[in-house]
Amino acid sequence: VYAAYGNIAWVAAIFFGIKPAVMAIVAEAVIRIGSRALKNTVMWTLAALAFVAIFFLKVPFPLVVLTAGITGLVGGRLWKDKFLVFDQNKSGKKDAETVLGDDIESPAHTKPSLVGAIKVCVIWLTLWWLPVLLAGLWRGWNDTIFREGLFFSKAAVVTLGGAYAVLQYVAQNAVEYFHWLKPGQMMDGLGLAETKPGPLIMVLQFVGFMGGWNVPNGLPPLTAATLGALISTWTTFVPCFLWVFLGGPHIEQLRGNVHLTTALSAITAAVVGVVMNLAVWFGMHILLPQNEPFNWFAAIVGIVAFLGMWRWKWNIVYVVLGSGLLGFLFKFAIAR
């Protein structure tokens, strides 16, 4: 519906209002994540460096995360109290209230096993890559469908830090490198997704769908878009099963690992800077659209939406719907 009718005046007006809500949602996420992760000057410094690296120096997101992780590992050994931000051993429940407490031996089938790990890799790597390779053999290695499968597979491997970190990586690559979408379409997708459960997967499906629609390479647009949505969803979900089944048996051993915790603390701090980059990127495209004057409507709606969610805990769904309604009224009533 969006792809076919998104340019109709009243539909475009609604999305005109949704865009500043998206900007506010991402900005609020920066505050929310930062309040948990940035507990001292070291974490603040890591977040600032990550923002500078990815916004000004265009350092790839995976390299930012890798550098932060190494910094956390080394820093945790030299300055443990500054890097041990998250205590993974804290729990709101006692062991007696859980199904498997620390004093209960894990069942045999949950323990690490080389044979089990090989089986998991064979099964899930085959399920993961077979559709991608078939798409390449069928459509060619430069076709949008194959490239989407390859890109979202890469995203499933290199993106750490939560949904908004993934969105930053996907948004900038899909818009600026692959040119599957325009910035406005990316923001529309996030706005649509925030009105439904599971916004991350909804956005990735949207990117895959619009990539196929905008760059069908000889296929009917709807067919290419449907295949793009399917392969983006497949290559986002299936790797998760691989990580869970492969890493699950080692969780108990890693749970109290201090070095891993310090690395994750540093990565989380860096992710705050990464999400800040996403917020600034959205803000630039919304408030300063190309060849157009400053968007005062978006600035006002964005500020009100941000304050509402941050100060008064407004529901995101109502914020998005209300902003869409304001956009409609502005375009068809006030602006005229």
Side-chain angles (χ1 to χ4, degrees):
V1 173
Y2 172 85
Y5 303 107
N7 291 325
I8 295 176
W10 67 270
V11 177
I14 292 174
F15 282 103
F16 177 78
I18 287 177
K19 287 182 175 67
V22 171
M23 179 178 63
I25 289 168
V26 179
E28 192 272 338
V30 174
I31 302 296
R32 177 163 35 86
I33 300 171
S35 65
R36 296 197 299 263
L38 308 183
K39 299 295 186 180
N40 54 56
T41 53
V42 172
M43 296 296 110
W44 276 95
T45 302
L46 287 175
L49 290 174
F51 174 77
V52 170
I54 204 163
F55 184 79
F56 292 104
L57 304 180
K58 307 301 180 184
V59 177
F61 171 73
L63 183 57
V64 172
V65 172
L66 177 62
T67 303
I70 294 173
T71 302
L73 282 174
V74 176
R77 295 176 182 273
L78 302 177
W79 210 356
K80 181 179 175 181
D81 60 324
K82 294 295 183 181
F83 283 86
L84 194 60
V85 174
F86 301 112
D87 187 354
Q88 293 181 329
N89 291 320
K90 287 184 178 180
S91 175
K93 295 183 178 180
K94 297 180 180 179
D95 287 343
E97 299 174 350
T98 60
V99 176
L100 290 176
D102 290 339
D103 57 342
I104 300 176
E105 185 178 359
S106 300
H109 69 276
T110 66
K111 295 181 179 180
S113 164
L114 178 60
V115 175
I118 293 174
K119 289 181 179 179
V120 166
C121 288
V122 170
I123 292 171
W124 289 105
L125 285 173
T126 301
L127 290 172
W128 176 359
W129 285 103
L130 184 59
V132 179
L133 294 175
L134 289 176
L137 291 171
W138 173 44
R139 297 293 303 161
W141 308 112
N142 291 319
D143 187 79
T144 302
I145 308 303
F146 172 74
R147 297 184 78 187
E148 285 185 336
L150 197 62
F151 170 69
F152 285 104
S153 295
K154 180 181 177 182
V157 174
V158 303
T159 49
L160 297 173
Y164 287 102
V166 178
L167 289 178
Q168 183 279 330
Y169 180 73
V170 171
Q172 291 196 316
N173 278 276
V175 173
E176 297 178 358
Y177 180 73
F178 293 107
H179 304 291
W180 291 331
L181 300 88
K182 296 178 180 178
Q185 292 177 323
M186 188 68 212
M187 288 178 279
D188 291 342
L190 183 55
L192 284 172
E194 289 291 353
T195 64
K196 304 171 182 66
L200 172 61
I201 189 59
M202 297 298 293
V203 175
L204 300 187
Q205 283 180 329
F206 180 85
V207 171
F209 185 92
M210 292 304 300
W213 182 277
N214 291 330
V215 192
N217 289 330
L219 287 174
L222 183 58
T223 301
T226 303
L227 291 173
L230 287 172
I231 201 165
S232 64
T233 304
W234 184 264
T235 51
T236 297
F237 267 120
V238 173
C240 298
F241 289 94
L242 173 63
W243 310 141
V244 169
F245 288 122
L246 192 61
H250 301 277
I251 291 298
E252 289 300 316
Q253 298 175 0
L254 297 174
R255 189 177 60 172
N257 190 302
V258 174
H259 303 306
L260 179 62
T261 303
T262 57
L264 291 175
S265 297
I267 289 173
T268 306
V271 164
V272 176
V274 171
V275 180
M276 172 62 78
N277 169 70
L278 179 64
V280 173
W281 186 79
F282 277 154
M284 290 173 59
H285 285 93
I286 295 171
L287 300 176
L288 298 169
Q290 191 173 13
N291 300 323
E292 294 183 22
F294 184 82
N295 190 339
W296 288 104
F297 171 83
I300 295 171
V301 172
I303 291 172
V304 172
F306 171 78
L307 291 175
M309 290 184 292
W310 178 54
R311 179 67 177 82
W312 297 292
K313 310 302 179 185
W314 288 354
N315 187 288
I316 288 180
V317 174
Y318 296 142
V319 169
V320 173
L321 295 177
S323 298
L325 178 60
L326 287 175
F328 177 83
L329 294 175
F330 179 81
K331 285 291 188 179
F332 283 91
I334 301 174
R336 292 188 177 185

